[in-house]
Structures are given as structure tokens and as C-alpha cells.
Amino acid sequence: MTGRFEPLDSGTVPRYAGIPTFMRLPQAEPAEVDIALLGIPYDGGATNRVGTRHGPREIRNQSSLMRRVHHVTGLSPYDRARIADCGDVPFDPMDLMRTLDLISAHYAGVKAAGALPLTAGGDHLVSLPILRGLAADGPVGLIQFDAHSDTYDSFFGGSRYNHGTPFRRAIEEGLVDPKRFVQIGLRGAISDAGNYDFATAAGVRIIFIEEFIERGVADVMAEARAIVGDKPTYVTFDIDCIDPSQAPGTGTPEIGGFSTREAQSLVRRLEGLNLIGADLVEVAPPLDPSGLTALTGATIFFELLCVLAGVVDSRQADDLGGK
């Protein structure tokens, strides 16, 4: 297919009308697109406050407020790539381990179809099966925007699969290269002085919020880009990296986080990296009846979409140049 998928025109169909899809785009299959927008409405890995299972649906609703052209670049992602809402990923709400298998199989199919996945979660555990589906051929780099490391070993006497453990499992399973893994925005009290020992010993670069504040967006992202280099890299954005005064609807809020403006700037500096996909997780609409967190999530989702559209555009240009 060469035709583009276009969002509904708000001048023709009001934003509050029509079937809610990501960015008001048509629905399609991964084989029909360059970028597959996907939802994983699952929070079976949450250890305390739940509600992120409702994240994808409310992000879809709030994404009706997104317009088609990025105001900084002047570019529309829909002119650079074929993009559509490819629906929700299958899962089993009664069986966590089966859910992990279902999700990983689905993303292996997305990869085989040649599409880059952009996912709305769901709790942060969903990043693990996504990586299983995308990185089966070898470890990838990872840029994680988060208040928490999520490299803990287990909870509740041996639960090794929850939203606090996905990236420890990903390193152990050879899905992520810890030397090409950077975590940005970590903060808050921890349950044990050794909580960061595994990540540090493995070689993960941890940039706490205090260092970020001292150095600034440009300097931190220059280092992040150098760490992952030009090899395949995945991006995961936990909404709790943003200060809860601006994104309160999340399971584990930590004060002292990024502003929404800083978050946008961080994501924009991903442009030009060799990205294989991205996710935005931990939006819990029931914990924020105002809708602000879901709106923030939808806006960052659009920022990530613009970056991935640049990846597609660049690869298409390289293909044409090689002919």
C-alpha cells in the first residue's frame, strides 16, 4: 500500500463525534501500516493502585484533541508514514503468564509485518513482552523515562513479574543490552538501600532527577543518544516521570518530576535514533477524573509518533537513495 491514513478533519466531524481511535485515525492491520498504534488495557502487574487498564481507551478519547502538524517541526507524521489504529493487543485478564505470551506473540507478528509499534499501556510490565516480541534476534538499547528503575527482582515473596521488575527480566533474558540502557528521571524514597544495585552492577546508566535538573534537557539527552548509539533502540515512557501536579492519574506518583514541557523536549531529542518502537504506560484515568493525565499521555503519544514517523521517513529516503 502507498496511500496514507488520515485523521478525521475536526472541521468536518467534531472532535466529540465518531468512533474513538488513536488520533482519530482509521483502523487497520499492522501489515497495512508503517506505524501501528496499539493499546494494551492490562494492569495485572500493578502492585498497588490499579486503573491503567483504562489507559488506552481514555488516551484514545483525549487524542481527539491532537492536531495533525507538529508546531515546532512544521511536519505532519501522517505525511511521512502510513499510520493507523491497529486495535488492542489480546490478553487474558485472569492469567498473567498467559498474557505475557499473548502479548509477545502479537508483537512478533507486528515486527514480521514490518510495522513500528507505538503502544499505550497498561502497567509497565507490558514492556517486557513487547521486548520479547521485538528483540528475539538480539539485545537492543533502551531509553526509559521513569520515576522508578523497575529493575527489582521480586515482590510479595517471589512474584517476579510485575510492573516493578520488567527491565531486570529483560536484561536477564538478553532482550536489552544493559550497557546501552539509560534511565532518566528516577527519584523518590526506596524500600531498600540496595534497590539500584542490580542495575548499577549490570552497567545501566541511571540519571536521577537531581542530576537532570543540574544538567538540563539538552546535555542529558546528548549523553543518552551517545549511550544507545546508532543501533536498534526501544523507548519506554512511564507517565509517572512527570510531576503528579501535572499528571496525577498514575499508580505510583512521585513528586519532584519533569514538567510536561520538559517531557516534550526530552522526547523531541529522540529524533534521528534507530528506534524499533516505543510505549507510553501507567496512565490510570480513574485516579484523575479531570482527564489531565490522559491528555498529557495523548500529547506525549503524539510526540513519540512524530519521532517514529521521522524514523520511517529516513528509512524510506535511504531505500530510495540506494536504488
Side-chain angles (χ1 to χ4, degrees):
M1 291 184 62
T2 58
R4 305 292 190 197
F5 294 94
E6 298 290 341
L8 287 177
D9 184 347
S10 61
T12 302
V13 181
R15 297 182 187 278
Y16 51 83
I19 297 172
T21 60
F22 289 122
M23 311 303 172
R24 308 188 84 203
L25 286 162
Q27 293 179 284
E29 296 298 322
E32 301 176 281
V33 300
D34 301 308
I35 300 173
L37 306 183
L38 299 153
I40 307 182
Y42 182 77
D43 59 8
T47 57
N48 185 17
R49 304 197 305 173
V50 297
T52 59
R53 67 185 64 182
H54 301 289
R57 180 168 293 185
E58 193 55 29
I59 289 171
R60 282 184 171 99
N61 287 336
Q62 294 293 341
S63 74
S64 68
L65 293 169
M66 300 302 105
R67 296 176 176 85
R68 57 173 295 122
V69 178
H70 196 285
H71 79 280
V72 175
T73 65
L75 299 173
S76 167
Y78 316 109
D79 295 335
R80 309 177 80 185
R82 299 172 300 168
I83 307 164
D85 189 327
C86 293
D88 285 341
V89 176
F91 64 94
D92 183 343
M94 309 310 294
D95 189 329
L96 186 152
M97 299 308 291
R98 180 166 182 262
T99 287
L100 298 182
D101 291 341
L102 289 169
I103 295 172
S104 62
H106 193 83
Y107 280 85
V110 172
K111 178 182 178 181
L116 294 178
L118 175 56
T119 307
D123 71 62
H124 219 156
L125 178 61
V126 303
S127 295
L128 175 62
I130 293 173
L131 287 165
R132 286 176 176 173
L134 299 181
D137 299 331
V140 300
L142 182 63
I143 298 178
Q144 177 187 355
F145 301 104
D146 207 325
H148 310 98
S149 178
D150 296 347
T151 55
Y152 311 121
D153 186 33
S154 66
F155 286 79
F156 306 111
S159 172
R160 302 177 74 245
Y161 297 94
N162 57 69
H163 69 167
T165 66
F167 303 116
R168 182 162 183 155
R169 303 287 90 85
I171 291 171
E172 292 170 344
E173 294 177 22
L175 304 173
V176 169
D177 178 356
K179 301 296 193 299
R180 297 182 54 242
F181 181 2
V182 56
Q183 301 178 320
I184 306 172
L186 273 61
R187 62 190 188 275
I190 51 178
S191 56
D192 184 271
N195 278 172
Y196 298 117
D197 288 356
F198 172 84
T200 301
V204 177
R205 174 66 169 107
I206 299 176
I207 300 176
F208 291 100
I209 195 69
E210 291 78 12
E211 180 180 351
F212 168 80
I213 292 168
E214 183 176 337
R215 294 175 59 190
V217 172
D219 193 33
V220 165
M221 286 307 295
E223 181 185 357
R225 295 175 66 91
I227 288 170
V228 299
D230 59 2
K231 296 179 181 179
T233 297
Y234 189 77
V235 174
T236 183
F237 190 104
D238 188 325
I239 202 72
D240 72 19
C241 72
I242 297 176
D243 192 85
S245 63
Q246 299 181 49
T250 190
T252 315
E254 301 282 358
I255 68 166
F258 302 134
S259 70
T260 52
R261 187 182 299 112
E262 288 169 332
Q264 287 176 291
S265 186
L266 286 162
V267 172
R268 290 169 190 169
R269 282 171 167 78
L270 298 168
E271 184 75 33
L273 292 176
N274 183 8
L275 301 183
I276 62 168
D279 64 49
L280 180 138
V281 298
E282 296 286 356
V283 172
L287 301 177
D288 178 15
S290 75
L292 173 61
T293 308
L295 173 61
T296 300
T299 306
I300 298 299
F301 203 68
F302 178 75
E303 295 281 0
L304 289 166
L305 175 59
C306 289
V307 171
L308 290 180
V311 174
V312 172
D313 199 19
S314 177
R315 290 176 182 174
Q316 291 173 343
D318 289 344
D319 292 342
L320 289 174
K323 292 182 179 179

